[in-house]
Amino acid sequence: MYRDLERRLAQHVRAFIGRTYSLELPKIVIEQPPQVEFGEYALPLAFELAKKLRQAPRKIAEEIASGIGTIPGFEKLELAGAGYINARLRREELAKVLVADERPGADNPSGKILVEHSSINPNKAAHVGHLRNAILGDTFVRLLKFAGREVDIQNYIDNTGAQVADVVVGFLNIEKKSRAEIEQLAHQPRFDYYCWDLYALVSQWYAQDKQNLQVRQQALHAIEEGGNETARIADLISIAVLRRHLETMDRLDIEYDFLPRESEILHLHFWDAAFAKLKEGGVIFFESEGKNKGCWVMRRAGTSRSEDAADADIGPSAEDKLAAEDQKVIVRSNGTVGYVGKDIAYHLWKFGLLGCDFGYRKFYRYPSGRDCWISTAVGALDHPHFGSVAEIYNVIDARQSEAQSTVIEALRGLGHGEAAEHYTHFSYEMVALTPRCAGELGYQLSDEDRARPYIEVSGRKGFGVKADDLLDTLITSAKKEVDARHPQLTDAERLDIATQIAIGALRYFMLKFTKNSVIAFDFKEALSFEGETGPYAQYAVVRATSIFRKAGLPVFLP
C-alpha cells in the first residue's frame, strides 16, 4: 500500500510538471522524512528543477504544493525548508484500508527475479556477519513476493576456493587424517564448529612458515581440477558444512530454492564457454609484460581509456597501453580462474546468455515440505527451471563492490546492456561486536579494545560469534524473561515464545540500521523489551491484535 501511494504521488507530480513547465521527468525521487511528524513522503525535486527553470527551489516547491490539486489518499502537500515538499496521507482512510486488508492491484513488470543471498563459504560455521546478509536477503524476498513478483532464491556455494582448500590442508597436513576419519567427523552434530577451529589453526600454520602456502596452492589446483582424492575430500567437507548452514538458517525460517556450486561452473565448462565469449568480444586480453604478465585481464571497472587508447582501434594494441593498476586479473598466470571470472560465467547463466545449464538434484527438505536443489554434473530430469531471469539482485557486502562492478562491465562489454541495467548489487556494511559483547563471549580485550566503538570479527583468527551460538544465547536470555512473566505456562510453551522473541529480536536488529552502516552487535541492546527493538515491535502487534479482537474487528496477520 505504501509503495502504491508513492507511485500515485509520483504520477500526479510528473503530470503537473509536464503541464506547468513542459518538462518530462522520467524519475521522481521520493524520500522518507526524518520524522513522521513532517509527513509520510518528502520530495526534493524542486532542487533538480531549479537549474532547468532558473528559479529558486522554494518558489518552485510552493508552486507545486499549491497548484497540484487533490491527490486521492493524500491530505495535502506542504512546503518545507529551502525547497522540500512534504506529503501527508489521509491516515483515517489508510487505517480503514489496512484493517479491511485491501491490497491494490499489482502492476508488476513481467519476468522472474533472482535474489542471491547468504553465499557463505562452506569451510566453517556461519557467523553473525552472515546473518545480516541472509536476513537482508530473506526480507527482500518476502517483500518481492508480497508485491506479487515471482522470485528464485539462490545461495551460491564457493566450494573450490581458497577457504575450503585451507580446511582440507588442515585435515591432511596438520591433523594427518584420512578421508574415512574426516567422513566420520563430518557426521558429528556440529562439524562446522570443528572446521571453524581448524581454519584458524591453518592460518597460524601459514604464518609460521610462508613455504606452507605452497601446500594451499597445490590443494587449490587439485580441487579445481577435480577427479582426485583431494577434490573428493573437499567435496565431503563442503557438503557437510553446507548442510549445517542450511540447518542454521532454517532456525530463522530462511529457505533457498537452489544452491549453484562453483565446482559445476568449472566442470560443466561454464567458464570455458564464458572465456570464449570474453576473448571473442575483446573484453579480456592476454598481458605479455609487466606486473600481470601471463594473466588474462580486463579493464578494471570505473577506469577510463587513455586518449591514445580511445582514439586507437579496439584490439590488443590499444589495450596493451592499459596500466597494471587499471587491470583486473581474470585468469592468473598459473592458469587458475579468479573469483570474478567464475562469477561472470555464473551471471551469464543467470540471464540465460551462456548456452549451458547445471545438472540438478534434491539436497535438503525443509519442515514446510519445500525442496532445496543443488547443482551437480548429471542430475534429475524433472527439476524446476532455474536461471533465464529478467532481474538479478545480489546481496553481497560492500567490500565486494569492485567485483560486482566488474561483472556488470563484462556484461556491457559483451553487448548485454539491458542485462547489465537489470543487475543490482544489494550492498551492505559489515557486522562487528561491541566491546561489551566481545567480553561477554569470553574474548580477551586490551584497554585499547575496550575504548573502541566496535571490535571487528575475523574468521581466520577464530574471532567472532557463531550464528548458532548467538541464537542459543538470545533464546536463553529471552526465556529468562518469559519464565519470569508467564510462570503459568508449560516449559515447552515458554521455550516456544522465547524462541520467537529471540528470532524477532535478531531479525529486527539486523534490519533497523541503514545498509551502509557498520553494525556493532550487542546482546543487551538487541534483546531489550523497550525502545526500537524487535521484542517491543512484537509486543505492539500483540497489543494491537488484542484491541482489534475486543473491538470486533477482523485481524489479519501474515
Side-chain angles (χ1 to χ4, degrees), residues 59-308:
K59 182 177 183 302
I60 297 170
E62 187 175 6
E63 288 177 352
I64 296 172
S66 60
I68 198 168
T70 302
I71 304 175
F74 286 82
E75 181 181 344
K76 59 181 175 179
L77 301 187
E78 296 176 336
L79 183 64
Y84 273 91
I85 300 171
N86 290 337
R88 294 184 180 276
L89 293 173
R90 294 186 183 278
R91 294 189 177 182
E92 68 281 3
E93 292 182 10
L94 181 60
K96 291 176 182 177
V97 169
L98 292 174
V99 168
D101 196 34
E102 295 177 10
R103 301 182 185 181
D107 183 20
N108 290 325
S110 60
K112 187 163 53 174
I113 296 176
L114 191 159
V115 177
E116 177 195 333
H117 69 79
S118 302
S119 303
I120 310 167
N121 288 318
N123 69 316
K124 64 181 186 306
H127 58 61
V128 64
H130 298 134
L131 290 179
R132 186 178 196 185
N133 182 307
I135 290 169
L136 281 170
D138 182 64
T139 304
F140 184 52
V141 166
R142 290 169 187 255
L143 290 171
L144 288 171
K145 289 185 174 181
F146 183 81
R149 298 303 302 270
E150 182 183 3
V151 186
D152 260 1
I153 312 159
Q154 298 193 9
N155 178 1
Y156 182 78
I157 310 302
D158 181 4
N159 62 334
T160 66
Q163 289 81 6
V164 171
D166 287 344
V167 178
V168 172
V169 167
F171 276 118
L172 297 182
N173 296 82
I174 298 178
E175 297 202 332
K176 310 291 185 183
K177 292 192 182 296
S178 66
R179 178 151 64 106
E181 291 173 319
I182 298 170
E183 187 169 8
Q184 188 175 13
L185 282 169
H187 286 98
Q188 298 301 311
R190 289 197 166 178
F191 176 65
D192 53 337
Y193 278 43
Y194 189 101
C195 293
W196 174 288
D197 294 334
L198 184 58
Y199 182 61
L201 188 63
V202 172
S203 297
Q204 296 171 16
W205 187 65
Y206 291 152
Q208 290 168 6
D209 187 348
K210 296 301 181 183
Q211 293 297 316
N212 292 335
L213 287 169
Q214 295 179 6
V215 181
R216 172 203 268 177
Q217 288 303 316
Q218 294 166 4
L220 195 56
H221 269 292
I223 293 168
E224 288 193 359
E225 183 180 356
N228 53 68
E229 184 68 1
T230 301
R232 284 186 281 271
I233 290 173
D235 186 61
L236 165 66
I237 292 167
S238 64
I239 285 291
V241 173
L242 172 58
R243 195 172 294 277
R244 281 291 303 119
H245 290 170
L246 297 188
E247 291 169 352
T248 299
M249 296 305 168
D250 195 16
R251 298 180 69 183
L252 292 163
D253 196 25
I254 296 174
E255 301 179 352
Y256 311 92
D257 296 313
F258 178 46
L259 311 170
R261 296 190 297 173
E262 192 171 88
S263 53
E264 274 69 58
I265 287 177
L266 291 171
H267 303 149
L268 293 177
H269 306 293
F270 278 35
W271 165 244
D272 294 339
F275 193 28
K277 289 178 182 291
L278 292 167
K279 287 188 289 186
E280 183 181 351
V283 178
I284 64 174
F285 65 96
F286 186 77
E287 181 57 86
S288 58
E289 59 184 34
K291 175 184 174 183
N292 295 325
K293 182 179 180 180
C295 300
W296 284 91
V297 302
M298 66 175 282
R299 180 177 295 278
R300 190 178 294 276
T303 62
S304 58
R305 283 183 169 84
S306 65
E307 291 184 9
D308 292 339

Side-chain angles (χ1 to χ4, degrees), residues 425-471:
H425 176 201
F426 190 120
S427 66
Y428 64 94
E429 278 293 347
M430 67 177 181
V431 180
L433 308 177
T434 63
R436 177 174 64 186
C437 181
E440 289 173 353
L441 289 166
Y443 292 110
Q444 298 298 316
L445 303 177
S446 64
D447 291 339
E448 183 181 353
D449 288 333
R450 293 188 183 90
R452 294 166 58 188
Y454 58 81
I455 309 293
E456 292 185 30
V457 300
S458 171
R460 288 197 175 277
K461 297 178 181 178
F463 182 80
V465 181
K466 301 181 187 73
D468 281 308
D469 284 350
L470 174 57
L471 282 165

Side-chain angles (χ1 to χ4, degrees), residues 351-458:
F351 280 118
L353 301 170
L354 190 61
C356 303
D357 199 6
F358 294 103
Y360 302 89
R361 68 178 174 88
K362 294 179 182 178
F363 180 73
Y364 189 88
R365 172 157 286 193
Y366 293 101
S368 63
R370 177 181 185 173
D371 286 316
C372 177
W373 295 72
I374 194 169
S375 66
T376 184
V378 179
L381 297 176
D382 57 338
H383 60 81
H385 178 71
F386 300 107
S388 302
V389 298
E391 300 175 53
I392 291 171
Y393 290 87
N394 290 336
V395 185
I396 301 176
D397 77 52
R399 290 169 291 185
Q400 298 297 320
S401 292
E402 184 189 58
Q404 290 291 293
S405 296
T406 302
V407 177
I408 293 172
E409 289 306 310
L411 288 170
R412 286 202 179 98
L414 290 170
H416 304 303
E418 186 177 355
E421 291 301 317
H422 289 91
Y423 180 126
T424 302
H425 176 201
F426 190 120
S427 66
Y428 64 94
E429 278 293 347
M430 67 177 181
V431 180
L433 308 177
T434 63
R436 177 174 64 186
C437 181
E440 289 173 353
L441 289 166
Y443 292 110
Q444 298 298 316
L445 303 177
S446 64
D447 291 339
E448 183 181 353
D449 288 333
R450 293 188 183 90
R452 294 166 58 188
Y454 58 81
I455 309 293
E456 292 185 30
V457 300
S458 171

Side-chain angles (χ1 to χ4, degrees), residues 8-26:
R8 188 183 305 172
L9 175 61
Q11 288 168 359
H12 278 74
V13 170
R14 185 180 293 110
F16 177 82
I17 291 170
R19 292 192 309 269
T20 308
Y21 306 117
S22 300
L23 292 174
E24 288 189 16
L25 290 183

